[in-house]
Amino acid sequence: MRLSKDRIGGLLLLAFCIAYGLLSQDIRLLPFQENTAFHARTMPEILAILGIGLSLATIVFPGSPETPRFAGYNWITCGLFLALMSLYGFSIRPLGFLLSTSLFLMLGFALLGERKPVTLVLVAVPLVVAFWVLMTQGLDVFIEPLPTFLRGA
């Protein structure tokens, strides 16, 4: 089996989905949620299974014979996004979901080329607040909204 561009992508996606599926088992459930049909682990598990199936299909079925090229991509932006995602992961507990996710989206949009601060705020903040409301009110998933220093504990 020759490693083509599609198969390398499939292997990377397979590794990510397996790790995601395994890590999704660490999501804590409340005692009454364990026997419910839909809980906090349901979507991550479904996404992991779908991702594993699609990545296996990409690996097994022949795709384009194109060999991977590494020239012509914006590797600096890619590296900055990886650093930004890592920073987001470390900042979500101390800063809370609303602030850290809003900052993450605004910086991500800025990396992609958006330069208007008003647009960055008007897109990121309502999106994050709507997602937080959906998760906490609609799905009963607790997400700490505020930074540690504002909780008063």
Side-chain angles (χ1 to χ4, degrees):
M1 179 186 319
R2 191 169 146 227
L3 277 183
S4 66
K5 186 176 173 182
D6 294 338
R7 286 191 171 129
I8 290 173
L11 286 171
L12 291 173
L13 184 63
L14 178 64
F16 175 80
C17 290
I18 289 172
Y20 183 69
L22 291 174
L23 291 173
S24 71
Q25 300 306 305
D26 291 341
I27 297 173
R28 287 186 291 170
L29 297 178
L30 297 173
F32 66 89
Q33 292 178 323
E34 292 180 6
N35 294 326
T36 59
F38 190 86
H39 50 70
R41 287 186 199 154
T42 305
M43 282 306 292
E45 290 170 345
I46 290 171
L47 290 175
I49 291 169
L50 283 175
I52 289 170
L54 290 174
S55 60
L56 287 175
T58 303
I59 293 168
V60 171
F61 294 116
S64 70
E66 185 179 348
T67 57
R69 293 180 306 117
F70 297 105
Y73 294 106
N74 193 347
W75 292 106
I76 293 172
T77 303
C78 178
L80 289 173
F81 260 107
L82 290 174
L84 181 63
M85 287 188 286
S86 298
L87 184 66
Y88 172 68
F90 287 115
S91 70
I92 196 161
R93 284 188 188 238
L95 295 181
F97 178 79
L98 295 176
L99 184 60
S100 65
T101 306
S102 296
L103 287 173
F104 171 73
L105 287 179
M106 286 189 276
L107 291 172
F109 293 152
L111 277 175
L112 292 175
E114 179 56 52
R115 298 290 180 245
K116 298 175 188 170
V118 173
T119 303
L120 292 173
V121 172
L122 288 179
V123 171
V125 173
L127 179 68
V128 170
V129 170
F131 185 76
W132 180 79
V133 168
L134 174 71
M135 293 299 287
T136 58
Q137 304 302 312
L139 299 176
D140 283 335
V141 176
F142 177 74
I143 301 174
E144 187 65 49
L146 298 174
T148 306
F149 62 92
L150 291 179
R151 279 187 245 147

